[in-house]
């Protein structure tokens, strides 16, 4: 079966490795200058007209952003779009922002519903094109406090259409968790009575949740922004998460896994999304409550972006206009459990108090959520180049999981 | 058609080229070529912000892998899991294969082998999610073991090991079964006639003949376990294995160079395992 002659093998292996080293070295010389230059936005052409649909649309979405009635017959804003435009929607769920960036880099998708920790990476990577907002009629009535924000525009040029925003919630099963939690401390308490039944989000960005908790409970660390952590603050957050691992039962990144875990009783409490709580409560096996604890919460503000290599750009423009139309935006917001970006949606929700519950038009409230943002060496709170970047966050996350 | 076959008959090299071009292209370009590209990219890095490759020679990936004890811990854990899976599979496969090859009447034998292979025809994910349901707090294991006062393992390393052992069991049974079939019954009878006990026959006759078969099976179970990252994601709870480090750096961080550097660990480990196996002489007469 295996007949390697060891001496010959060794010489072949060393010859190959020498060749590889040479290759790796050679290809470096030409690219030296590119990596040292300051980050600039690659020039990508912007559309100046929207023609007829190309018949298909491939998008990367957060779970629940493109419902076609298969989860719940009443929940469907994809079929009307397909009927009106002839664009057949093919949606691929990205479980984390990181996965979405990777999927978009493949160039096989026309667009993405990107959160703030993905948008800038896509813009500076040249993976998405600027958006001509005059081609998206519904854009004019989008909440003003979502326009021209650091996570969706560069130098006054919008790179996407605001979709909606919300907070990461603390979900718990009231049948098991008898005293309702009011603080994120419930998932960080080393002496928690629910040890082994606590869940946490499996992504480096979850470090920000620990940082937010420390920001409110340990003022001497002087954290002002959970995405701008210097060495000391970062280590404190990482240590908190390492201690948390002892009481965690499992980490989730796949939302179906999170749903099943709550339903089987393996998880009784942990960070979650409103859509997950809605799915669990819809299945009626167990009931869960979801709250925004006293410390506030991390959250997302999502943006529909169009790929620089979109094969169906017209369909994508039509989709961006459709998803922020008053009806569709109200539907997706209610299904996912987030504030709609479209101000006119508030009249279209089935629950008339929905927009009040989610503070949809409340700019003050929106400013208190710490939206997912890509951590960079240059601190986002302006303290200079002393912060940990996302690569450090990723490696720390591996270390936290051990 | 006839002229072509005449041409082929007259041209030995043409014959050889036709026969070997496609498989050689596959092996060299698709297989070795992609391996080489991967090894080269292990010496590159990635711009952490834009996710673009920086094609400059660097050893940072390797120094991080070797200096950060987390990766060493995960690597050791993965090897232990792979070895455990192999041991469990050997212990389960030996009696099953013995029963198939030596006890079961011949007319049932092919049918039984089909039954053993049947699970391989269903999706890997379906089987793993089935184990996730079984290991859950409201699952069948918890229900069955409750009267005995035993709590089954929850999601974690043990659940991962058991699920992997289940998944790869057919790959261990089949070579052992094939090995046992080659042992003529007369050999065992002769051993008995000469006064050897069942145990002695097993130790001195069956085991030496079976050894290469067990090793062949272990190559499957060991390397398949070492490369698996899905089972541990589904039933592993909060633990992770080395393949997850590779996967996370591709899927999550988009850090292909670091993933490529990390991928060298399983390659080296499996090569080391094969080398060890070859040194033990198990492959000489296989």
């Amino acid at each position: 079966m295996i007949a390697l002659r060891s001496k010959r093998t060794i010489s072949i292996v060393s010859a190959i490795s020498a060749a590889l080293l040479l290759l790796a070295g050679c290809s470096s010389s030409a690219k030296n200058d590119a990596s040292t230059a300051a980050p600039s936005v690659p020039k990508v052409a912007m559309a100046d007209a929207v023609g007829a649909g190309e018949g298909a649309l491939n998008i990367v979405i957060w779970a629940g952003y493109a419902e076609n009635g298969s989860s719940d017959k009443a929940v469907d804003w994809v079929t009307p779009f397909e009927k009106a435009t002839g664009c057949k929607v093919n949606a691929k769920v990205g479980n984390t922002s990181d996965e979405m960036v990777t999927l978009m880099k493949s160039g096989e998708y026309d667009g993405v519903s990107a959160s703030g920790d993905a948008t800038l990476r896509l813009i500076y990577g040249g993976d998405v094109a600027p958006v001509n907002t005059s081609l998206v009629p519904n854009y004019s009535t989008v909440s003003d406090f979502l326009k021209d924000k650091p996570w969706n525009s560069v130098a006054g040029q919008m790179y996407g259409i605001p979709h909606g925003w919300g907070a990461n919630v603390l979900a718990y099963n009231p049948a098991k968790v008898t005293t309702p939690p009011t603080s994120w401390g419930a998932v960080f308490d080393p002496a928690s009575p629910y040890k082994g039944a606590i869940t946490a989000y499996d992504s480096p960005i979850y470090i920000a949740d620990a940082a937010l908790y420390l920001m409110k409970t340990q003022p001497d660390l002087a954290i002002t922004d959970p995405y701008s952590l210097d060495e000391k603050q970062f280590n404190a957050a990482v240590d908190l998460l390492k201690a948390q691992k002892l009481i965690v039962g499992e980490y989730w990144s796949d939302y179906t896994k999170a749903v099943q875990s709550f339903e089987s009783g393996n998880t009784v409490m942990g960070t979650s999304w409103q859509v997950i709580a809605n799915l669990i409560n819809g299945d009626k096996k167990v009931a869960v409550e979801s709250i925004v604890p006293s410390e506030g919460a991390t959250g997302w503000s999502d943006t529909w972006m169009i790929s620089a290599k979109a094969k169906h750009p017209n369909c994508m423009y039509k989709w961006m206009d459709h998803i922020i139309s008053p009806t569709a935006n109200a539907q997706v917001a209610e299904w996912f459990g987030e504030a709609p970006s479209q101000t006119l949606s508030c009249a279209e929700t089935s629950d008339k108090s929905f927009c009040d519950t989610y503070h949809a038009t409340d700019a003050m409230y929106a400013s208190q959520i710490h939206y997912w943002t890509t951590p960079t060496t240059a601190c986002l709170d302006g303290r200079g180049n002393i912060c940990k970047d996302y690569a450090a966050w990723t490696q720390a996350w591996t270390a936290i999981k051990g | 058609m006839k002229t072509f076959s005449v041409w082929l008959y007259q041209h030995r090299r043409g014959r050889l080229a036709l026969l070997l071009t496609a498989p050689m292209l596959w092996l060299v370009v698709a297989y070795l070529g992609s391996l080489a590209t991967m090894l080269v990219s292990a010496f590159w890095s990635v711009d952490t912000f834009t996710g673009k490759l920086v094609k400059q020679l660097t050893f940072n990936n390797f120094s991080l892998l070797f200096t950060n004890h987390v990766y060493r811990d995960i690597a050791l854990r993965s090897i232990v899991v792979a070895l455990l899976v192999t041991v469990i599979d050997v212990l389960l496969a030996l009696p099953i294969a013995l029963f198939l090859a030596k006890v079961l009447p011949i007319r049932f034998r092919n049918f039984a082998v089909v039954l053993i292979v049947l699970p391989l025809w269903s999706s890997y994910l379906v089987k793993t999610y089935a184990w996730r349901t079984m290991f859950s707090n409201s699952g069948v294991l918890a229900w069955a073991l409750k009267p005995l006062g035993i709590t089954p393992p929850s999601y974690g390393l043990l659940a991962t090991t058991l699920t992997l052992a289940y998944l790869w069991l057919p790959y261990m049974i089949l070579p052992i079964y094939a090995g046992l079939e080659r042992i003529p019954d007369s050999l065992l009878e002769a051993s008995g006639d000469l006064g050897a006990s069942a145990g002695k026959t097993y130790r001195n006759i069956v085991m030496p003949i079976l050894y290469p078969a067990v090793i062949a099976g272990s190559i499957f179970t060991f390397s398949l376990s070492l490369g698996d990252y899905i089972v541990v994601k589904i039933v592993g709870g909060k633990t992770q294995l080395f393949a997850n480090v590779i996967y996370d750096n591709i899927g999550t961080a988009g850090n292909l160079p670091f993933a490529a550097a990390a991928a060298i660990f399983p390659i080296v480990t499996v090569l080391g395992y094969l080398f060890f196996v070859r040194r033990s002489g198990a492959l000489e007469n296989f």
Side-chain angles (χ1 to χ4, degrees):
Chain A
M1 197 160 152
I2 282 98
L4 298 177
R5 299 216 163 50
S6 48
K7 251 191 194 160
R8 199 207 274 171
T9 315
I10 290 168
S11 61
I12 289 175
V13 166
S14 43
I16 291 177
S17 17
L20 289 179
L21 278 174
L22 215 65
L23 253 172
C26 286
S27 47
S28 70
S29 50
K31 311 268 171 152
N32 272 349
D33 40 343
S35 59
T36 47
S40 62
V41 181
K43 283 218 169 16
V44 179
M46 184 165 74
D48 45 19
V50 176
E54 295 89 347
L57 176 67
N58 300 321
I59 46 176
V60 178
I61 58 158
W62 287 108
Y65 273 16
E67 290 295 318
N68 59 5
S70 55
S71 302
D72 183 332
K73 278 204 185 85
V75 180
D76 184 359
W77 53 91
V78 168
T79 316
F81 171 76
E82 289 179 335
K83 280 198 182 123
T85 63
C87 301
K88 175 103 185 58
V89 176
N90 173 24
K92 161 86 182 159
V93 170
N95 284 311
T96 59
S97 286
D98 318 297
E99 214 174 295
M100 290 185 164
V101 172
T102 312
L103 286 170
M104 285 306 287
K105 283 196 180 304
S106 73
E108 287 170 25
Y109 297 91
D110 300 310
V112 60
S113 61
S115 295
D117 54 336
T119 47
L120 290 184
R121 287 150 72 187
L122 291 169
I123 295 172
Y124 283 92
D127 301 304
V128 291
V131 170
N132 188 343
T133 52
S134 62
L135 300 178
V136 183
N138 285 317
Y139 180 73
S140 59
T141 42
V142 161
S143 295
D144 281 333
F145 61 84
L146 295 172
K147 292 177 179 172
D148 296 317
K149 289 292 147 186
W151 64 82
N152 58 21
S153 66
V154 172
Q157 172 59 55
M158 285 298 283
Y159 271 77
I161 299 295
H163 165 92
W165 50 278
N168 293 314
V169 294
L170 174 59
Y172 63 97
N173 180 348
K176 302 273 174 65
V177 181
T178 39
T179 39
T182 57
S183 155
W184 285 113
V187 297
F188 291 117
D189 176 12
S192 170
Y194 311 109
K195 185 176 176 180
I198 293 193
T199 194
Y201 187 51
D202 191 358
S203 165
I205 207 71
Y206 185 65
I207 294 173
D209 284 56
L212 174 67
Y213 178 66
L214 292 175
M215 180 168 133
K216 302 290 163 133
T217 53
Q218 290 193 29
D220 49 313
L221 281 170
I223 298 175
T224 56
D225 173 2
Y227 304 96
S228 301
L229 304 175
D230 63 29
E231 180 95 36
K232 190 178 158 213
Q233 298 163 338
F234 185 71
N235 289 344
V238 169
D239 287 344
L240 181 63
L241 290 168
K242 281 183 175 163
Q244 187 206 26
K245 194 202 169 197
L246 301 174
I247 60 165
V248 163
E250 79 174 342
Y251 294 106
W252 67 273
S253 59
D254 172 350
Y255 74 105
T256 50
K257 206 173 113 175
V259 169
Q260 197 242 352
S261 207
F262 265 106
E263 289 182 346
S264 66
N266 281 59
T267 293
V268 300
M269 182 163 54
T271 185
S272 195
W273 299 336
Q274 190 59 43
V275 68
I276 292 175
N278 293 352
L279 284 169
I280 297 170
N281 291 333
D283 286 350
K284 294 194 168 62
K285 286 181 192 157
V286 296
V288 293
E289 297 278 342
S290 51
I291 58 157
V292 173
S294 57
E295 292 88 2
T298 58
W300 67 91
S301 184
D302 291 346
T303 307
W304 285 99
M305 309 182 101
I306 181 166
S307 168
K309 297 177 199 137
K311 292 183 189 77
H312 313 100
N314 294 336
C315 278
M316 189 60 207
Y317 264 93
K318 287 175 196 291
W319 172 260
M320 289 196 285
D321 191 47
H322 172 73
I323 198 70
I324 59 161
S325 66
T327 326
N329 203 231
Q331 282 177 300
V332 68
E334 274 197 295
W335 174 251
F336 194 85
E338 64 187 342
S341 64
Q342 176 60 261
T343 50
L344 304 180
S345 291
C346 293
E348 305 288 333
T349 50
S350 61
D351 169 5
K352 290 303 166 202
S353 61
F354 183 82
C355 276
D356 295 334
T357 315
Y358 283 89
H359 309 268
T361 51
D362 184 348
M364 265 303 288
Y365 178 86
S367 67
Q368 281 164 2
I369 295 176
H370 300 273
Y371 298 108
W372 281 347
T373 313
T374 310
T376 53
T377 322
C379 299
L380 303 160
D381 57 0
R383 283 183 295 161
N385 291 329
I386 52 165
C387 285
K388 293 286 186 182
D389 66 3
Y390 196 63
W393 283 48
T394 308
Q395 262 137 19
W397 186 245
T398 303
I400 288 163
K401 292 209 291 172
Chain B
M1 198 62 222
K2 195 175 176 196
T3 48
F4 185 58
S5 54
V6 169
W7 183 86
L8 273 186
Y9 183 75
Q10 287 165 344
H11 295 80
R12 194 168 158 271
R13 279 169 185 277
R15 228 155 58 212
L16 210 60
L18 265 181
L19 184 71
L20 289 183
T21 306
M24 282 309 276
L25 271 182
W26 173 256
L27 191 71
V28 174
V29 178
Y31 191 73
L32 293 180
S34 52
L35 261 183
T37 328
M38 191 191 81
L39 292 179
V40 170
S41 67
F43 295 96
W44 292 342
S45 61
V46 78
D47 183 320
T48 51
F49 189 60
T50 59
K52 291 224 156 112
L53 280 180
V54 180
K55 295 177 181 170
Q56 264 176 296
L57 180 65
T58 166
F59 291 95
N60 284 351
N61 295 330
F62 289 98
S63 72
L64 191 69
L65 271 175
F66 283 110
T67 51
N68 195 333
H69 69 91
V70 163
Y71 299 110
R72 196 170 55 230
D73 294 350
I74 301 173
L76 278 178
R77 183 186 308 142
S78 308
I79 291 181
V80 168
V81 165
L83 286 177
L84 262 178
V85 168
T86 304
V87 168
I88 293 173
D89 276 347
V90 170
L91 292 180
L92 287 175
L94 274 175
I96 296 177
L98 194 66
F99 177 79
L100 282 183
K102 296 293 168 208
V103 181
L104 202 67
I106 289 179
R107 63 179 187 281
F108 297 129
R109 216 173 269 173
N110 282 342
F111 180 67
V113 171
V114 168
L115 284 186
I116 298 285
V117 183
L118 209 55
L120 295 181
W121 292 9
S122 73
S123 161
Y124 165 103
L125 277 179
V126 169
K127 289 182 281 185
T128 313
Y129 267 103
W131 279 93
R132 180 175 166 84
T133 316
M134 286 198 278
F135 278 120
S136 82
N137 284 0
S138 53
V140 69
L141 282 176
W143 170 79
L145 295 176
K146 204 177 176 188
L148 307 173
I150 307 170
T151 358
S154 193
Y155 304 138
L157 220 47
L158 188 57
T160 309
T161 310
L162 293 177
T163 308
L164 285 171
Y166 162 80
L167 285 173
W168 312 142
L169 185 60
Y171 294 104
M172 183 61 90
I173 295 179
L174 289 180
I176 295 185
Y177 167 72
L180 274 170
E181 258 201 329
R182 293 202 319 199
I183 306 177
D185 290 348
S186 56
L187 207 59
L188 306 182
E189 283 159 16
S191 169
D193 289 347
L194 292 170
S197 65
K200 198 167 172 57
T201 305
Y202 188 73
R203 270 198 312 280
N204 291 2
I205 310 290
V206 177
M207 250 354 250
I209 300 179
L210 220 49
Y211 186 59
V214 173
I215 291 296
S218 78
I219 292 171
F220 289 126
T221 56
F222 183 81
S223 53
L224 286 172
S225 304
L226 201 63
D228 195 276
Y229 65 93
I230 300 174
V231 166
V232 69
K233 275 238 167 212
I234 297 174
V235 298
K238 55 186 174 180
T239 189
Q240 58 184 345
L241 294 177
F242 205 82
N244 296 88
V245 173
I246 302 171
Y247 174 78
D248 286 346
N249 274 288
I250 298 170
T252 308
N255 192 344
L256 289 175
F258 188 78
I264 298 196
F265 160 74
I267 294 178
V268 168
T269 312
V270 170
L271 280 181
Y273 187 71
L274 291 177
F275 185 69
F276 162 80
V277 159
R278 188 176 165 275
R279 281 291 290 272
S280 73
L283 302 169
E284 300 291 309
N285 49 5
F286 187 66

